[in-house]
Amino acid sequence: MEEKIKEIRAEIEEKIGSFDTSGKLYEFRKKFLDNKEGAISQLMKGMRDVPKEERPQFGKIVNEVKEWATARFDEMEERVKAKELERRNADEAIDVTMPGVVSPEGALHPDTMVINDLIDIFTSMGFEIFEGTEIENDYYNFTALNTPKDHPARDMQDTFYVSDEFLLRTQTSAGQIHVMENKKPPIKIRSPGKVFRPADDATHSPMFTQMEGLVVDKGISVCDLQGMLDTFSARIFGEGVKTRLRPSYFPFTEPSVEVDVSCFACGGKGCKLCKGTGWIEVLGAGIVNRHVLENCGIDPEEYSGFAFGMGVERIAMLKYGINNIKALFESDTRVAEQFKD
Ligand code: DAH
């Protein structure tokens, strides 16, 4: 037994200092002090074979080694744990003198800002938002809008055809038909979205953004249109901006008008922006043509309405002084950054 105890002590002394984690040290401790399997606990079991008179002495010796081992392991555990903590603190240390990582802040695209403004203005007047689809068929984009095939007004809008029947919508006006087919008056919607036409210069892009408006109810007249336009113009371009209606032609409205706003840069005196006229053209509008109402199953004797459509890029260019539409589509973040709020 003496021999065995010596071996145990020697093994513990030899290896106890070699563990760098408390987990490994604990495994080593179990080898000796585990209640069942531990080598020291096993020694205790040998008590049965010891003659009675030698048992007290035997027990004393085993207890001594047990106490010694427990104290040794406790002390070592404390040391290893302190080292572990030191290592963890070192790993997690933050160098407060290091320069921070600057994450660049994004900015909204001018189109998005205009659309958000328009949505705010018009939802506050009770308009709902309808989003149509970019691929339309000929019927919704033209025929139902009182522009049947071979109607001369088709020449006003060159068109990208996807097939004989389908096309990339040339105007968000197509949304008017979907809304009127699916909803009974009163109708009050605005419909933003991308539209497509083969045109490409400083103020035209093959893809651009429009926002359509449609109001249908009993007794709607040009006065309602003009009143709404005045409110809209003052809110988007600034207090004091007035509107003026000029006769125009669109197949889906009768009468049709072109809407100008008084120049918000010079107050109407005449400047570079308004080309000396004091007025800036911003949108097309009119009283919904009775054929369009009929095409959607709405009785023109009972209901009337007005419609209006505006180009979002045009408004963004006017508002933010951008002189080439390309700047809005080149994905150069410096463009958006200039107009950050
Ligand atoms: N759809 C027309 C265009 O793209 C714009 C327009 C004019 C829309 C008059 C309307 C309207 O709703 O009444 O040129």
Side-chain angles (χ1 to χ4, degrees), residues 13-298:
E13 280 303 0
E14 187 197 334
K15 296 187 183 152
I16 196 163
S18 67
F19 301 101
D20 55 355
T21 70
S22 48
K24 283 183 200 156
L25 180 65
Y26 178 71
E27 286 307 315
F28 186 58
R29 176 188 185 122
K30 275 199 336 200
K31 191 173 168 196
F32 304 96
L33 290 169
D34 183 83
N35 278 344
K36 277 193 204 147
E37 311 289 324
I40 296 177
S41 316
Q42 293 293 330
L43 278 181
M44 266 303 185
K45 280 189 194 152
M47 178 95 93
R48 273 180 259 129
D49 311 324
V50 175
K52 221 175 185 174
E53 57 289 3
E54 286 175 29
R55 281 184 192 168
Q57 182 61 15
F58 181 92
K60 197 176 155 229
I61 293 172
V62 177
N63 267 336
E64 257 172 31
V65 71
K66 189 175 175 183
E67 267 164 35
W68 170 82
T70 306
R72 227 26 213 106
F73 275 107
D74 285 353
E75 172 211 3
M76 192 52 80
E77 186 183 314
E78 220 169 274
R79 266 200 253 166
V80 172
K81 279 197 167 151
K83 284 232 172 76
E84 276 177 335
L85 185 67
E86 238 171 63
R87 275 203 304 273
R88 204 170 63 228
N89 286 346
D91 284 352
E92 292 173 3
I94 294 170
D95 179 356
V96 290
T97 63
M98 246 169 84
V101 182
V102 181
S103 36
E105 191 186 301
L108 292 180
H109 190 276
D111 274 6
T112 309
M113 290 198 281
V114 168
I115 292 175
N116 288 350
D117 284 351
L118 291 172
I119 288 177
D120 276 355
I121 294 169
F122 282 92
T123 50
S124 76
M125 290 195 252
F127 283 74
E128 289 174 67
I129 304 299
F130 168 83
E131 281 186 282
T133 52
E134 289 169 13
I135 293 183
E136 271 294 357
N137 67 16
D138 193 272
Y139 178 78
Y140 286 97
N141 194 80
F142 289 123
T143 305
L145 286 161
N146 200 33
T147 324
K149 287 214 167 88
D150 69 30
H151 191 291
R154 285 224 181 183
D155 293 345
M156 289 164 80
Q157 294 180 10
D158 280 343
T159 308
F160 290 114
Y161 280 88
V162 180
S163 68
D164 284 348
E165 173 65 9
F166 291 99
L167 46 84
L168 299 182
R169 69 175 169 199
T170 59
Q171 50 187 352
T172 44
S173 308
Q176 289 185 29
I177 306 301
H178 289 287
V179 171
M180 286 192 282
E181 277 182 351
N182 289 301
K183 195 175 182 317
K184 296 237 154 324
I187 290 170
K188 222 173 163 185
I189 58 108
R190 292 234 61 188
S191 183
K194 293 193 179 83
V195 298
F196 306 85
R197 292 180 205 174
D200 204 2
D201 60 32
T203 53
H204 296 89
S205 156
M207 180 204 78
F208 60 107
T209 319
Q210 279 190 336
M211 199 158 179
E212 192 75 12
L214 175 71
V215 174
V216 182
D217 204 349
K218 288 182 178 157
I220 296 289
S221 74
V222 178
C223 297
D224 300 299
L225 171 65
Q226 172 105 52
M228 182 226 61
L229 287 171
D230 281 339
T231 307
F232 146 76
S233 307
R235 285 190 60 185
I236 197 102
F237 294 116
E239 219 41 61
V241 171
K242 294 191 295 284
T243 57
R244 137 181 124 168
L245 308 184
R246 276 182 294 112
S248 184
Y249 173 77
F250 298 102
F252 33 87
T253 42
E254 178 59 40
S256 302
V257 293
E258 211 78 62
V259 181
D260 299 337
V261 295
S262 56
C263 182
F264 44 84
C266 64
K269 284 193 231 80
C271 68
K272 216 171 129 203
L273 185 68
C274 58
K275 301 194 182 83
T277 66
W279 294 93
I280 300 170
E281 183 187 316
V282 286
L283 61 106
I287 293 297
V288 181
N289 190 306
R290 58 187 293 125
H291 296 306
V292 176
L293 294 177
E294 278 164 2
N295 288 340
C296 302
I298 293 176

